């Protein structure tokens, strides 16, 4: 879900709820402790240089059970973040504390925001000999054999 979609949904809601992939709801007294832009600049195991940017929401629960974040307040926080941090209309990633910090995608089912599971993936399948992979766009070094072989430096 992109930031503009979240704002549009919030403008039509009276209350905000987040549902975990398990179906359990995040307690209604949650706080959004951060809204920010996260940039990741990295090289995958095949040598391709990549950049990713997402808007990050951090959800947190405290012991103030009377706290309720209203949709218009979250819209105000988002708009302030856009203005001060120069945040564009990027995909949303949500952090939520369970036994460790979990990272989730975001969707909406008509009544609740859904925290969707995210998975790791090899981004250099073509370099690692994984079938059905598309070729890398920009590589730092080309190799003549699979990078994931026993003597390779990746994976």
């Amino acid at each position: 879900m992109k930031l503009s979609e979240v704002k549009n949904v919030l403008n039509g809601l009276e209350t905000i709820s987040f549902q975990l992939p398990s179906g359990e709801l995040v307690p209604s007294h949650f706080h959004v402790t951060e809204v920010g832009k996260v940039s990741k600049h990295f090289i995958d195991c095949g040598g391709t240089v990549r950049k990713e940017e997402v808007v990050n929401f951090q959800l947190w629960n405290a012991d103030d059970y009377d706290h309720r974040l209203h949709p218009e307040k979250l819209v105000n926080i988002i708009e302030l973040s856009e203005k001060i941090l120069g945040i564009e209309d990027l995909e949303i990633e949500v952090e939520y504390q369970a036994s460790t910090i979990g990272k989730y995608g975001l969707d909406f089912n008509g009544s609740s925001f859904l925290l969707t599971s995210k998975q790791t993936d090899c981004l250099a399948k073509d370099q690692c000999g994984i079938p059905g992979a598309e070729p890398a766009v920009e590589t730092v070094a080309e190799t003549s054999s699979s990078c994931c072989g026993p003597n390779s430096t990746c994976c």
Side-chain angles (χ1 to χ4, degrees):
M1 219 176 166
K2 289 196 171 220
L3 190 58
S4 61
E5 296 172 288
V6 170
K7 287 172 32 180
N8 286 338
V9 166
L10 287 169
N11 285 325
L13 293 179
E14 291 186 29
T15 61
I16 307 171
S17 63
F18 287 91
Q19 184 177 345
L20 293 160
S22 67
E24 178 184 355
L25 290 175
V26 170
S28 58
H29 58 277
F30 72 90
H31 292 251
V32 175
T33 58
E34 296 178 11
V35 173
K37 178 167 69 171
V38 176
S39 300
K40 183 177 174 183
H41 188 198
F42 61 101
I43 297 175
D44 67 26
C45 66
T48 301
V49 176
R50 298 177 186 268
K51 287 185 179 182
E52 294 178 356
E53 289 189 327
V54 295
V55 174
N56 180 270
F57 290 177
Q58 185 180 78
L59 305 183
W60 179 70
N61 296 324
D63 293 334
D64 61 339
Y65 297 102
D66 295 328
H67 179 270
R68 298 292 183 272
L69 180 63
H70 296 281
E72 63 275 2
K73 175 71 172 176
L74 183 51
V75 169
N76 290 337
I77 293 168
I78 291 169
E79 289 175 349
L80 180 63
S81 300
E82 288 174 312
K83 178 181 172 186
I84 301 297
L85 301 175
I87 294 176
E88 303 92 21
D89 191 23
L90 300 170
E91 288 292 323
I92 304 293
E93 179 178 82
V94 178
E95 291 181 354
Y96 180 67
Q97 181 74 41
S99 59
T100 188
I101 297 172
K103 290 187 177 188
Y104 302 90
L106 191 64
D107 203 350
F108 187 72
N109 68 4
S111 60
S112 294
F113 286 102
L114 304 175
L115 301 183
T116 59
S117 296
K118 295 182 81 167
Q119 303 292 317
T120 59
D121 192 9
C122 176
L123 300 176
K125 291 181 181 89
D126 61 316
Q127 298 291 318
C128 295
I130 297 173
E134 295 181 19
V137 176
E138 176 187 353
T139 59
V140 174
E142 294 289 329
T143 59
S144 59
S145 64
S146 172
C147 76
C148 292
N151 297 322
S152 74
T153 59
C154 89
C155 301

